[in-house]
Amino acid sequence: MFKHLFKLIWNKKKQNFLLITEMFVSFLVLFAVFSMVVYFYQNYKKPAGFDYNDVWVATFSMPEHLQSNDSVNLFAEAMRNSLKSMPEIKELSFTSMNVPFSMSTNGTSVSSQQKPRVHTNIFEVEPTYKDVLSIHMVEGRWFQKGDHVAKLRPVVLNQKLKEELFGSEPALGKTLGEENYKTGQFEDRFKVIGVVQNLKETGDYQAIESGVYRGMDSGGLRWNNTILLKVQPGADAAFESRLFKTLSNMTGTSIEIEHLEKKRITKNKLALVPMIIMLIVGGFLIINVAMGLFGVLWYNINKRRGEIGLRRAIGASGSAVSKQLIGEAMVLSTMALIVGSFFAVQFPLLHVFDLPASVYVAAILLAIVFIYLLVFVCALYPGKQAAAIYPAVALHEE
């Protein structure tokens, strides 16, 4: 049976080559689309690692008349006391501008004995940062008052950075080096005091990034003019208006108040844009492939009415004729998938785009199943039409 199918395909190799090429290109496009879909889905399934509900972000500028660190710290303490006096605010924390779901980034390179250079995000935070976001500790402890006076600055790592730097070894008590931009050398500057669960700070669909948290020192408040506020559930626009007025009166500068939940939605929408574009392109391609395949099979039936009539005249059943046409289409798709799979397998082998191998494997399987289903559906109706051809009519027309 297969030998006969290959012989029929070979006799029309030029026409079939175009079909194989069309299905090969379709497979590659579907592989790319499914890779993105699987990648986003795997990221979406991971836990957030923190609670962003009822958390607001307030950004401001320090008044220009504050010159010394002492005056800045006194002003920040007065602001903290004023805000905490509001019953709607449960907790607050000054932090750097790269809060969760923001467009701001702050990066550095750190090193350990196992890894000489690892790029990571760095977050300047206060001890209350953990309580505002309900962060879960995996090892060790969070920051305490007085940690910033230690010789080596205490830091907390997320699980991803801990695994990159130390693998399965414990991280507590170990030192990290940071690059000295004047000399270009890495010098021991940090001591690990804790490890926290990974936080999906870049959105639900993006990969978790490495992160190191370090306590904000007395001079950090001058440059870190962002406050995270944990508010009571149900805090409304009236309270937001009072909060805005309070901050504006204290700073005399422009104030911006955002909700982490809304920032998360915006961040997720931006992440989905490339996937939506890929889905649209892939959808148009699949429609064109389906129409082309359906048209070619229909054309083949009309061209091969004499052959089909002869097969029916010598005893072939209608179902056998239908299976033959469907079988030819499936063999053509198998040829295209073998070539396409060869190229697709190179992605996990060569670590292209540095995605997990499971993403590519799942995308290959999904693309194969989709192509087979598409070809089967497109060949099914023409196959039934071929099975309905009467031998006498077909031979009479010839």
Side-chain angles (χ1 to χ4, degrees):
M1 177 65 179
F2 286 105
K3 183 178 179 181
H4 178 66
L5 290 177
F6 279 109
K7 186 176 181 181
L8 291 174
I9 291 172
W10 179 255
N11 290 336
K12 298 182 179 180
K13 48 185 176 293
K14 290 184 179 180
Q15 178 180 331
N16 291 330
F17 176 76
L18 295 176
L19 271 177
I20 292 174
T21 302
E22 193 174 18
M23 287 186 282
F24 165 73
V25 174
S26 301
F27 171 81
L28 293 182
V29 173
L30 285 172
F31 169 69
V33 172
F34 283 127
S35 294
M36 186 174 294
V37 171
V38 172
Y39 175 66
F40 280 3
Y41 177 70
Q42 287 187 354
N43 292 333
Y44 181 80
K45 287 196 308 179
K46 295 176 182 177
F50 68 104
D51 184 12
Y52 46 78
N53 294 303
D54 301 316
V55 178
W56 296 3
V57 183
T59 55
F60 62 95
S61 298
M62 282 289 181
E64 295 182 359
H65 68 272
L66 301 177
Q67 299 298 325
S68 66
N69 288 339
D70 290 338
S71 60
V72 170
N73 289 328
L74 288 173
F75 176 82
E77 188 64 25
M79 180 181 291
R80 183 182 289 107
N81 293 333
S82 177
L83 292 176
K84 293 200 71 172
S85 66
M86 295 180 171
E88 293 88 353
I89 297 179
K90 299 169 65 175
E91 189 57 271
L92 64 90
S93 174
F94 285 85
T95 180
S96 51
M97 294 185 65
N98 54 338
V99 295
F101 314 129
S102 70
M103 301 300 175
S104 300
T105 58
N106 184 19
T108 187
S109 293
V110 295
S111 67
S112 66
Q113 292 183 350
Q114 292 89 335
K115 286 279 188 176
R117 183 189 294 269
V118 175
H119 185 77
T120 181
N121 294 313
I122 189 163
F123 303 89
E124 299 278 352
V125 299
E126 288 189 320
T128 52
Y129 185 88
K130 170 178 173 290
D131 299 323
V132 171
L133 294 178
S134 302
I135 298 175
H136 304 289
M137 298 296 301
V138 177
E139 300 177 35
R141 65 174 178 86
W142 190 251
F143 302 104
Q144 299 174 355
K145 290 184 178 180
D147 278 341
H148 61 276
V149 300
K151 181 180 179 181
L152 292 178
R153 196 169 181 180
V155 293
V156 174
L157 314 180
N158 68 358
Q159 287 178 296
K160 179 175 175 59
L161 181 60
K162 181 261 180 186
E163 292 170 359
E164 289 179 337
L165 291 173
F166 305 107
S168 59
E169 297 181 7
L172 298 184
K174 294 188 176 179
T175 60
L176 298 181
E178 186 178 33
E179 187 175 6
N180 186 322
Y181 294 103
K182 294 182 179 179
T183 64
Q185 301 296 320
F186 278 83
E187 303 172 357
D188 284 343
R189 293 185 180 176
F190 307 125
K191 182 178 180 180
V192 181
I193 62 171
V195 178
V196 297
Q197 185 177 356
N198 290 326
L199 275 62
K200 293 168 64 173
E201 296 163 317
T202 55
D204 293 333
Y205 304 108
Q206 298 295 327
I208 292 172
E209 298 179 353
S210 304
V212 54
Y213 303 85
R214 65 184 185 190
M216 192 181 299
D217 57 21
S218 58
L221 288 172
R222 176 178 293 277
W223 315 112
N224 298 315
N225 303 327
T226 303
I227 307 176
L228 283 177
L229 303 163
K230 182 70 173 181
V231 301
Q232 297 287 354
D236 55 10
F239 165 67
E240 186 172 343
S241 177
R242 286 194 293 113
L243 175 63
F244 180 90
K245 186 176 180 180
T246 300
L247 290 173
S248 181
N249 290 338
M250 293 188 69
T251 62
T253 60
S254 60
I255 305 295
E256 184 178 7
I257 298 176
E258 300 175 284
H259 300 189
L260 274 192
E261 174 61 28
K262 292 182 180 179
K263 290 175 70 68
R264 168 180 165 268
I265 294 172
T266 301
K267 193 78 171 179
N268 288 341
K269 287 181 178 179
L270 291 175
L272 289 175
V273 168
M275 187 174 73
I276 293 173
I277 294 174
M278 289 288 291
L279 288 173
I280 293 173
V281 173
F284 276 114
L285 179 65
I286 295 306
I287 291 173
N288 288 331
V289 170
M291 293 178 64
L293 184 61
F294 187 86
V296 168
L297 293 175
W298 188 276
Y299 177 76
N300 283 344
I301 290 174
N302 292 326
K303 290 278 290 184
R304 298 167 62 182
R305 290 181 66 87
E307 172 195 338
I308 294 171
L310 182 60
R311 286 178 56 83
R312 294 296 308 277
I314 60 177
S317 63
S319 61
V321 172
S322 178
K323 288 178 181 179
Q324 176 191 333
L325 293 175
I326 295 174
E328 289 180 24
M330 299 302 283
V331 169
L332 288 174
S333 63
T334 301
M335 293 179 177
L337 292 175
I338 290 174
V339 179
S341 298
F342 171 79
F343 287 98
V345 167
Q346 307 309 311
F347 281 74
L349 294 178
L350 300 177
H351 304 286
V352 179
F353 302 124
D354 201 26
L355 297 182
S358 59
V359 171
Y360 293 124
V361 173
I364 291 172
L365 295 177
L366 288 172
I368 289 174
V369 171
F370 193 93
I371 289 294
Y372 272 133
L373 287 175
L374 178 68
V375 172
F376 179 78
V377 170
C378 291
L380 188 61
Y381 184 73
K384 287 184 177 181
Q385 291 295 105
I389 295 176
Y390 291 100
V393 175
L395 292 176
H396 175 74
E397 292 175 353
E398 290 295 317

